[in-house]
Amino acid sequence: MNIGKLGLPIAVGNTAQIYLFENMVVKVFNDKLPDTVIMKEADKQEFAYSCGLHVPKIVNVANFDGKQAIIMEYIQGETIGDLITKNQDQTEYYMDLSVEIQQEIHQNEAQSIEFMSDKLSRQIENAPYLEKKRKWILIEKLNSMTFEKRLCHGDYHLFNLIKSGEKVTIIDWVDASAGDIRADVYRTYLLYSQFSIKLAEMYLHLYCQKSGLSKEEIFEWAPIIAAARMSEWVSSERMDRLLHIANGHSSIV
């Protein structure tokens, strides 16, 4: 199909453009991404769907003017992030809800999708500004961690949750992996803390309270996750902050 028939994109990301077409979402990827990466993303989302989680159903993987695309169910509603922006007095209520949903994700054993340790090792190897010796130390630390392989979203935050009535749908499974839930929790904490320590601490307190995990064991993953994030080159993220954490200088607030 010709991309022109899709109209204008409703969102543009680093790796893809998102279109709404015939009541479906069409995620058209950039030329630079290999087909294997796109199929992996589709497989991850299909696995999450098979776990009984509220996830957009994959309809097809197609080709638009030579570009690979994932076609999926369109979920109408508002992100929980947008709802909080408009109703800040309900922040704790929605954060509590988001933690419950993340715990539902973490209850699922995962063996058939990408292993978190492989993904993190690759990212640490590609992390800029990090000394070679520090990379080696972090990869050794990663390899020494023991955990059950659980389904981890990898980019879990309030703007990846769409509320439609009483139902909340989890979107954007590109970074999902089979790994340690403590790493996934720290990743979410790291995402929130770049904008608001207060929000990050609220999230961490609620997750620890509901799960029985301690901040100390979650923060064991801090340097590993921060180093891996450095390889993403996110414009909203401060590289000096990540480098500080990756070098082992993070502390529990």
Side-chain angles (χ1 to χ4, degrees):
M1 183 184 286
N2 189 295
I3 289 179
K5 292 184 179 180
L6 297 176
L8 295 174
I10 58 172
V12 178
N14 291 329
T15 60
Q17 294 184 323
I18 311 296
Y19 299 86
L20 182 59
F21 182 72
E22 295 184 351
N23 207 35
M24 289 183 292
V25 168
V26 182
K27 186 173 184 177
V28 181
F29 292 85
N30 299 340
D31 292 330
K32 61 183 179 181
L33 283 181
D35 293 352
T36 52
V37 172
I38 294 151
M39 288 306 302
K40 273 186 181 180
E41 178 174 343
D43 288 345
K44 291 174 183 181
Q45 190 162 323
E46 286 184 325
F47 176 78
Y49 184 86
S50 75
C51 291
L53 298 166
H54 293 308
V55 175
K57 184 178 181 179
I58 299 286
V59 176
N60 196 11
V61 177
N63 193 292
F64 288 82
D65 291 344
K67 296 182 178 182
Q68 286 288 96
I70 297 175
I71 303 172
M72 68 188 85
E73 174 188 11
Y74 170 57
I75 306 297
Q76 191 167 11
E78 287 187 271
T79 70
I80 289 184
D82 286 330
L83 289 171
I84 286 178
T85 301
K86 293 190 290 187
N87 304 280
Q88 293 188 18
D89 58 323
Q90 296 185 21
T91 298
E92 188 165 354
Y93 165 77
Y94 281 123
M95 185 63 81
D96 188 82
L97 177 61
S98 78
V99 167
E100 289 182 359
I101 294 167
Q102 190 176 25
Q103 287 188 293
E104 288 176 16
I105 297 171
H106 290 162
Q107 287 172 5
N108 294 280
E109 293 184 7
Q111 296 288 343
S112 61
I113 61 172
E114 182 179 21
F115 288 166
M116 178 185 284
S117 53
D118 294 340
K119 182 173 184 287
L120 292 176
S121 291
R122 185 173 65 250
Q123 289 179 309
I124 291 169
E125 286 284 5
N126 293 326
Y129 308 120
L130 201 58
E131 292 182 358
K132 189 173 181 179
K133 182 179 179 181
R134 187 61 187 166
K135 290 181 181 181
W136 179 84
I137 291 170
L138 290 175
I139 291 172
E140 285 292 299
K141 181 178 176 65
L142 171 62
N143 292 336
S144 72
M145 302 289 252
T146 56
F147 51 87
E148 294 180 8
K149 289 186 173 67
R150 298 280 178 167
L151 178 59
C152 295
H153 184 276
D155 194 31
Y156 190 82
H157 55 77
L158 297 168
F159 288 94
N160 276 337
L161 299 171
I162 298 176
K163 192 171 188 298
S164 308
E166 296 302 311
K167 181 179 173 182
V168 179
T169 301
I170 314 146
I171 62 170
D172 200 1
W173 288 86
V174 62
D175 292 310
S177 64
D180 191 341
I181 65 173
R182 297 168 297 180
D184 202 40
V185 172
Y186 183 78
R187 164 79 178 192
T188 298
Y189 175 90
L190 187 68
L191 295 177
Y192 288 148
S193 65
Q194 68 178 310
F195 301 111
S196 169
I197 288 294
K198 183 179 178 181
L199 195 68
E201 285 299 308
M202 178 189 292
Y203 160 75
L204 192 61
H205 171 76
L206 287 168
Y207 197 101
C208 290
Q209 186 181 60
K210 289 175 179 292
S211 66
L213 292 175
S214 68
K215 289 184 177 182
E216 288 78 12
E217 56 188 316
I218 290 167
F219 269 68
E220 275 280 304
W221 282 92
I224 293 169
I225 300 300
R229 183 156 172 77
M230 290 174 70
S231 70
E232 297 174 27
W233 292 97
V234 179
S235 59
S236 61
E237 182 63 89
R238 283 176 33 227
M239 197 66 77
D240 61 328
R241 178 180 92 108
L242 295 177
L243 184 61
H244 186 76
I245 299 170
N247 282 324
H249 301 305
S250 65
S251 59
I252 299 174
V253 178

